[in-house]
Amino acid sequence: MSSTTHLRPLELLTARASASRLDGATWASLSLLLFASAYFITSLADVNLDAMTDIGLASVLPPRMLAAYALLPPAFCLALRSGRTWLVLAAVVITVMLLFGVAVLVEPTVRFSVSWRHAGIAQVIQSTGAVDPRIDAYFNWPGFFVLTAFLADVSGYANPIEIARWTPLVLELLYLPALLTIGKALTDDSRMLWGGVWLFYVSNWIGQDYFSPQGLAFLLYLCTLAVLLRWFQYDSRRSSRIPETLATLQSRLLSMASRLVGSKADLAPSAPPTSAGQRITLVLVVVLLFVAVVGTHQLTPIALLLSVTSLVLVRRCALRGLPALLAILLGTWLVYMSVAYLSGHASDVTGKIGAVNQNVGSNVSGRVKGSDGHLAVVYLRVAVTLVFWTLAMMGGLRRFRLGFVDRALVALAMAPFPLLLLQSYGGEVLLRVALFAMPFMALLAAALFFPTLAKGRSRGTLVIFGLVATFLLAGFVVTRYGNERMDYLSPREVAGVEALYRIAPPGSVLVAASNAVPWRYTGYANYKYKRLTGINRVKYQVVVVPADESTSIDIGTASSRLIVQQVAARMVAPNRSQRSYLIISRSQKADLDMFGPWRRNSLQHVEDVLRRSDRFQIVFDNGDATIFRLADPTSQPQ
Amino acid sequence: MTRRLSRDAAWPLALAAWGVLAIVLVFAQSGVWTTALVTIGFVLIAPGAALLGLSGIRDGAAMLATSIGASVGLALLIPSLLVYAHAWSPKGALLILVGLTETACALWLVRSRGWRRGA
């Protein structure tokens, strides 16, 4: 018997629900959502950001806000039980707003120092109207920066940082229609669909939705897959025009699958009928989306290519030539538009291809370090991700045992993993793989509780789902905002950086202890930027200053003179006309306390030493940010 | 028939009006918050929605997702083409997007009238 005969469309459920009066579950869910919203809003003013510890925002959330979060899982479960689409949608939207809006609402400035740097790149384009790929790698993939420069300019802002603050919340809400479309294309069961979408949000701690190319590229990734899954299902009645080798590979894969599972059917709700004109429009939209994603981000097009190829291989996408077209577009961009970057970094890009152990190792071991509080956050992130993936695997197995082979769903959940073979992506490839797989893992995880319309209808199932969801949501609050002590940039720090740009003439050398500083949002290419700490740890007691700027200076010495000498040496300006400034700020201290490479409170020690030194002059100090000027920026260390 | 026609006309008229409002706010240099809200909202949804509406695609969340994707794609591509053509003009890019939306909405209206007459 075909699996689809077990299923009734979503509309049947919702029609039945809307025909009846509001029942107890509906009222209870509505009440909980209202209470959660009220608790959340009234507790915003009680968040004391200055008291944050190394476990991040969770350490300063008031009890009423935690209560608001605790009400969300039962509210969602009751909404699901009521069967009313509008209520489930409201529960999801309120969950998104409370989870992703909290930092936006309690922090008066744009969080995350990288957002400020991205705004600076967009500001270069906004002010010059040009893309200079020689400035740095970002300008080789300028799509996001051109878009934000355009949006800031037409909105009347002189700098794109002004539109950056609400980005995480806006992006997460923009993901929702695509997630729903993907879910609806992969299951007829509304509980699996909504449960999957809700699990996606409460598990999405990865935090790539800030003002960044990857946040936008993920939206384009979801939209592309939504279009393909919704409208371009494979039609076996059409004659095959694909190359023979691909056809052979397809049929071998599928025959292997059918041998494994016998005659069990794949679940694929039928695509709505479309005219030839509509299909042409939709193909053009897919091509447009891919061109946009190729010009926006380095990694996402490769993930998308893998996902589309996997859909073609499992016969879930009728556009069988699409992977070839996408590969050509990607190759063309790499060859013609990013040549300035690739010509100098070919070994960085290709050097770790196939070194999966090294790539994964650098992603794991590189992150399991730091203060005790931060380590607790890291371990929780690992645990939550493993639990989430385990739920997904169990969900897939349960569906399989019940006679469903979700080829497309499993293929899309697994498609991003070959990215681990390519490179470590600065120690982030595992995070990105987890993100690209997350929408599909979430649907599989929901399938564990709601495997068919007939099963998982008991109150007990909803209670278990609610408990698991509560665990994931509780984890979210810690894992998502676990770096917030560093990611939060106080208004006084921002004022300090504004003062830095007022004081330092263009061409000056600007130095910070770490990257956690809200700078480069202006004057991106007009200053020489340096850091006291780099990606390379200090391996020796320094007497001479490391020439390599990616190496941290060594402050493990009792000698104040040596510390002054090293800081001054890092600040040396190439010529006499240049000045040199060092800014030390609150979030840099948090960064170094949490992640190293120095011992806790070391930056405060450096600051105290510099305050006493006659080689440095304090030109600005507001408590959260101090700016030092090097008295003679061209003199070499003594 | 009149009621059905006016219902069909509601979406293209609303999208067209949104575009006009965005242009008015941008060129009148009114309050930045209002302008940002109206203009960014328009850019992220309307051009794609107009083009899909013109092609007769109406499918709830799927249409919204595709509209967002197409709109973001166009909003990224058109200014980028202007940058690479050394003709950077944010207002020019907005005018192109609004023009595209207005044209698609006008054709959408004409098509829906034609369908009704033929029905």
Side-chain angles (χ1 to χ4, degrees):
Chain A
M1 187 169 62
S2 167
S3 59
T4 49
T5 56
H6 292 297
L7 304 170
R8 283 167 293 176
L10 174 68
E11 288 72 21
L12 282 180
L13 275 180
T14 51
R16 193 186 61 179
S18 57
S20 62
R21 287 168 50 240
L22 296 188
D23 55 11
T26 305
W27 281 115
S29 175
L30 265 177
S31 307
L32 290 175
L33 289 173
L34 283 173
F35 274 119
S37 304
Y39 279 168
F40 179 81
I41 291 166
T42 56
S43 60
L44 285 171
D46 299 335
V47 178
N48 178 11
L49 294 167
D50 293 328
M52 236 184 308
T53 70
D54 287 1
I55 64 162
L57 199 58
S59 62
V60 291
L61 292 183
R64 259 182 306 156
M65 191 173 285
L66 296 175
Y69 287 138
L71 294 178
L72 291 173
F76 176 77
C77 290
L78 287 164
L80 211 54
R81 185 162 181 80
S82 76
R84 294 173 196 281
T85 306
W86 62 267
L87 184 59
V88 187
L89 177 63
V92 171
V93 170
I94 289 173
T95 301
V96 172
M97 295 183 85
L98 266 56
L99 292 182
F100 297 92
V102 59
V104 173
L105 290 167
V106 299
E107 297 179 15
T109 55
V110 177
R111 61 190 286 275
F112 210 14
S113 58
V114 187
S115 300
W116 294 76
R117 193 192 327 157
H118 289 163
I121 298 161
Q123 201 259 341
V124 171
I125 296 169
Q126 186 181 357
S127 57
T128 65
V131 170
D132 184 353
R134 293 164 301 178
I135 296 176
D136 62 30
Y138 288 113
F139 289 87
N140 291 266
W141 288 271
F144 168 78
F145 305 110
V146 173
L147 173 66
T148 49
F150 161 58
L151 292 177
D153 200 280
V154 294
S155 300
Y157 292 116
N159 193 305
I161 195 66
E162 305 286 348
I163 59 168
R165 189 173 161 204
W166 292 86
T167 306
L169 186 56
V170 170
L171 276 179
E172 292 292 344
L173 288 173
L174 287 176
Y175 296 159
L176 182 56
L179 290 169
L180 289 173
T181 307
I182 288 169
K184 279 177 83 170
L186 293 170
T187 176
D188 275 350
D189 188 335
S190 64
R191 295 165 312 147
M192 182 174 153
L193 160 67
W194 288 104
V197 168
W198 204 78
L199 287 178
F200 168 82
Y201 281 117
V202 299
S203 306
N204 185 10
W205 60 266
I206 294 172
Q208 295 299 322
D209 49 15
Y210 63 98
F211 190 72
S212 64
Q214 60 268 34
L216 181 75
F218 187 64
L219 172 68
L220 301 173
Y221 168 86
L222 291 177
C223 289
T224 310
L225 293 178
V227 174
L228 293 178
L229 287 166
R230 182 67 182 143
W231 283 294
F232 291 101
Q233 291 188 20
Y234 179 80
D235 186 349
S236 57
R237 290 165 299 182
R238 294 189 178 195
S239 61
S240 173
R241 289 181 190 155
I242 56 173
E244 195 178 335
T245 46
L246 185 58
T248 311
L249 182 60
Q250 265 189 344
S251 42
R252 281 191 183 166
L253 275 172
L254 291 173
S255 64
M256 264 168 57
S258 58
R259 274 202 302 275
L260 270 172
V261 302
S263 60
K264 289 167 183 171
D266 191 8
L267 176 69
S270 57
T274 45
S275 66
Q278 288 171 338
R279 289 174 75 82
I280 290 169
T281 304
L282 291 165
V283 169
L284 290 175
V285 169
V286 170
V287 173
L288 172 69
L289 283 164
F290 200 78
V291 171
V293 85
V294 160
T296 298
H297 194 232
Q298 300 94 318
L299 195 65
T300 310
I302 301 173
L304 187 55
L305 180 58
L306 289 169
S307 298
V308 173
T309 305
S310 70
L311 283 180
V312 170
L313 285 175
V314 300
R315 293 191 186 181
R316 190 59 174 76
C317 175
L319 300 175
R320 286 164 294 189
L322 195 58
L325 177 64
L326 300 186
I328 290 167
L329 286 172
L330 179 58
T332 306
W333 185 274
L334 290 175
V335 169
Y336 288 103
M337 305 304 284
S338 59
V339 69
Y341 173 75
L342 289 179
S343 59
H345 300 83
S347 63
D348 294 346
V349 175
T350 59
K352 290 183 179 171
I353 289 178
V356 65
N357 279 345
Q358 199 180 341
N359 293 340
V360 175
S362 66
N363 276 249
V364 177
S365 61
R367 292 184 175 273
V368 185
K369 64 176 186 182
S371 66
D372 291 344
H374 179 66
L375 274 177
V377 173
V378 172
Y379 287 132
L380 188 59
R381 283 173 180 161
V382 173
V384 164
T385 305
L386 289 178
V387 167
F388 183 64
W389 286 356
T390 306
L391 291 172
M393 193 179 69
M394 290 164 66
L397 286 173
R398 188 169 185 203
R399 296 259 310 161
F400 177 75
R401 286 187 60 193
L402 289 166
F404 299 92
V405 183
D406 302 304
R407 285 195 314 235
L409 197 46
V410 173
L412 288 169
M414 301 311 294
F417 282 85
L419 288 174
L420 296 172
L421 292 167
L422 294 181
Q423 59 163 298
S424 70
Y425 203 66
E428 287 200 3
V429 74
L430 197 54
L431 286 178
R432 304 302 174 90
V433 165
L435 179 66
F436 291 129
M438 191 171 280
F440 315 104
M441 293 281 192
L443 282 169
L444 286 170
L448 176 64
F449 306 95
F450 314 114
T452 67
L453 269 179
K455 288 190 177 289
R457 303 204 68 84
S458 68
R459 285 183 185 174
T461 303
L462 261 187
V463 169
I464 295 169
F465 176 80
L467 289 173
V468 171
T470 305
F471 165 76
L472 290 172
L473 192 144
F476 176 95
V477 178
V478 178
T479 53
R480 162 86 181 187
Y481 299 110
N483 297 353
E484 208 61 18
R485 192 182 153 219
M486 172 190 74
D487 292 342
Y488 164 56
L489 301 157
S490 73
R492 286 195 295 185
E493 284 177 87
V494 174
V497 175
E498 284 171 356
L500 179 67
Y501 286 114
R502 275 199 311 273
I503 295 165
S508 300
V509 176
L510 305 184
V511 184
S514 84
N515 264 337
V517 54
W519 67 0
R520 304 189 77 165
Y521 65 94
T522 187
Y524 189 85
N526 299 340
Y527 295 89
K528 168 75 176 165
Y529 294 92
K530 291 184 177 181
R531 285 179 297 152
L532 298 183
T533 56
I535 52 173
N536 298 327
R537 285 162 175 263
V538 181
K539 292 174 181 163
Y540 46 86
Q541 281 290 315
V542 179
V543 179
V544 289
V545 178
D548 175 12
E549 286 182 13
S550 65
T551 302
S552 306
I553 68 164
D554 182 5
I555 61 159
T557 167
S559 165
S560 297
R561 191 181 63 83
L562 274 177
I563 291 175
V564 167
Q565 184 184 331
Q566 291 183 79
V567 174
R570 187 56 62 89
M571 292 176 69
V572 161
N575 62 59
R576 279 210 164 269
S577 64
Q578 289 174 301
R579 291 179 180 275
S580 189
Y581 299 87
L582 167 69
I583 182 165
I584 293 178
S585 59
R586 188 205 60 82
S587 53
Q588 294 175 58
K589 291 172 187 170
D591 177 11
L592 295 171
D593 282 355
M594 289 167 65
F595 298 95
W598 296 343
R599 287 191 304 274
R600 202 171 185 84
N601 297 322
S602 291
L603 185 55
Q604 186 59 54
H605 173 60
V606 171
E607 184 180 333
D608 294 341
V609 168
L610 299 185
R611 280 175 184 273
R612 291 193 298 270
S613 166
D614 57 2
R615 293 197 67 189
F616 293 89
Q617 179 189 355
I618 294 176
V619 292
F620 181 89
D621 187 5
N622 69 3
D624 276 5
T626 308
I627 301 173
F628 295 89
R629 189 173 70 194
L630 189 60
D632 181 1
T634 54
S635 73
Q636 294 299 313
Q638 303 297 307
Chain B
M1 186 173 123
T2 311
R3 201 162 54 234
R4 290 179 73 186
L5 187 64
S6 59
R7 197 173 57 198
D8 285 341
W11 278 111
L13 285 176
L15 292 171
W18 197 354
V20 171
L21 181 62
I23 286 290
V24 168
L25 289 173
V26 167
F27 282 89
Q29 295 181 325
S30 56
V32 282
W33 258 106
T34 330
T35 310
L37 210 63
V38 171
T39 311
I40 294 176
F42 169 81
V43 166
L44 295 183
I45 295 173
L51 290 172
L52 290 178
L54 172 63
S55 64
I57 296 167
R58 291 175 188 79
D59 192 3
M63 186 187 169
L64 184 56
T66 314
S67 297
I68 291 168
S71 299
V72 172
L74 286 169
L76 202 144
L77 199 66
I78 289 169
S80 297
L81 289 174
L82 293 178
V83 166
Y84 283 110
H86 303 290
W88 170 244
S89 167
K91 285 179 180 164
L94 182 66
L95 280 173
I96 294 172
L97 285 172
V98 172
L100 206 64
T101 308
E102 303 297 324
T103 308
C105 288
L107 292 172
W108 183 355
L109 275 173
V110 170
R111 276 189 77 167
S112 58
R113 282 177 73 101
W115 285 338
R116 289 290 159 256
R117 278 180 185 154

